[in-house]
Amino acid sequence: MSIEPAPSTVTAAAADRQLGRPVAAYRPDLASSGARTALWVIAVAAALLLVVGLTTGSLVAIIVAVPFLALFGYQAISREYVRGRVQGTALHLFEYGLVKTEQDGSVAPMRYDSTTMWFRFVVHKQTNGYVTSRKFHMHLTDLVTGRVCELYGFVDGQTWSDSIRRGVFDARQPTLVQQLGEGRPLTFGPLVISPAGLEAKGKSVPWAAVRDVTVDGGLGSIDIQGKRLPWFVATTEEVPDFDIAVHLIRSGLRPGGN
């Protein structure tokens, strides 16, 4: 992360969309040359061992080579793919939105108060049961211009993703709460929240029957009275503005929440 001066194209786009002061900038998370070389060496060595095993009929060589080739070969290829997609890009966060610079030098400004968001995070590595790193991916759509912005592969994924989630939530949640209070149903992908209750996949349930909404990592579920299994289950990728939807449901479960 840095707050070094942004390029003129970024500051101009931020000023045009009235994004406020700069907060932080994030560069692509490019694997070190040593790590990249090590991955490719292991992948190539496993491939050679597999060839030897197939040539000589050595079952041991094949059994040893296949998992190593599958694991390290996939990691090497996927890292190179991501590296190629994010190299030359940058993510600039401002008070009221963000600007992403693309590889061709173009910029994508987004205001939090007019942005709908899908996000996901994938466990990348675990050590002794503890998550040591994650992959973060966000899909943003500008509700005014229709512009789509994909965010992934930047350093400090937890930090910038949390900042954007908080920014979108703070900017859009009050307006959506007001719309719901005025009797207007709100659609979050497959889920509809209304003053009367919830609707999803052709089913509806009144607020009085909704027992709880739980979130476990990137998965959310809604439980209703008299049912052992969740009434509705979806990932953060399926429900746009997932954080706001959860907040509205929890507010609806409190007396006077809506």
Side-chain angles (χ1 to χ4, degrees):
M1 182 190 75
S2 68
I3 51 174
E4 61 190 40
S8 59
T9 53
V10 171
T11 55
D16 181 62
R17 294 299 300 274
Q18 300 180 330
L19 301 185
R21 65 178 180 83
V23 175
Y26 299 87
R27 301 300 177 186
D29 186 8
L30 303 177
S32 67
S33 57
R36 294 173 63 206
T37 300
L39 276 176
W40 280 111
V41 167
I42 296 174
V44 171
L48 292 175
L49 183 59
L50 179 60
V51 171
V52 171
L54 293 173
T55 302
T56 63
S58 173
L59 184 59
V60 173
I62 295 175
I63 292 175
V64 172
V66 167
F68 274 93
L69 181 60
L71 175 61
F72 291 99
Y74 169 77
Q75 288 192 1
I77 293 172
S78 62
R79 280 175 180 265
E80 289 301 316
Y81 173 77
V82 173
R83 182 184 179 89
R85 291 290 299 272
V86 303
Q87 195 163 19
T89 64
L91 173 61
H92 300 266
L93 300 189
F94 292 81
E95 283 182 283
Y96 308 119
L98 61 91
V99 178
K100 179 190 177 186
T101 57
E102 305 290 356
Q103 290 177 318
D104 61 3
S106 62
V107 296
M110 312 284 286
R111 278 189 63 89
Y112 292 143
D113 60 6
S114 61
T115 294
T116 187
M117 174 187 65
W118 288 259
F119 69 91
R120 65 185 170 95
F121 53 87
V122 181
V123 173
H124 179 56
K125 182 180 178 182
Q126 287 186 324
T127 301
N128 298 325
Y130 293 94
V131 176
T132 57
S133 65
R134 297 179 186 270
K135 292 180 180 178
F136 295 84
H137 191 141
M138 282 190 168
H139 177 107
L140 308 177
T141 300
D142 192 314
L143 297 172
V144 176
T145 66
R147 181 196 297 272
V148 174
C149 181
E150 298 285 346
L151 300 177
Y152 61 91
F154 295 103
V155 297
D156 298 329
Q158 184 77 64
T159 304
W160 61 256
S161 63
D162 283 350
S163 295
I164 295 172
R165 287 173 63 182
R166 184 168 56 251
V168 172
F169 180 91
D170 291 343
R172 298 198 61 219
Q173 178 262 341
T175 300
L176 294 177
V177 168
Q178 180 180 349
Q179 291 176 357
L180 190 62
E182 294 171 351
R184 299 166 59 182
L186 305 175
T187 301
F188 297 85
L191 179 66
V192 178
I193 302 176
S194 74
L198 306 176
E199 298 178 26
K201 302 177 180 180
K203 303 177 295 183
S204 62
V205 61
W207 282 111
V210 181
R211 188 171 69 236
D212 193 16
V213 55
T214 58
V215 179
D216 184 8
L219 188 69
S221 60
I222 299 174
D223 297 316
I224 63 174
Q225 304 290 345
K227 298 291 184 180
R228 296 183 59 184
L229 297 177
W231 174 79
F232 176 78
V233 178
T235 67
T236 56
E237 295 179 71
E238 298 174 273
V239 179
D241 299 318
F242 182 88
D243 296 327
I244 299 176
V246 170
H247 170 77
L248 292 177
I249 295 172
R250 287 175 173 166
S251 296
L253 297 179
R254 296 195 298 267
N258 283 339

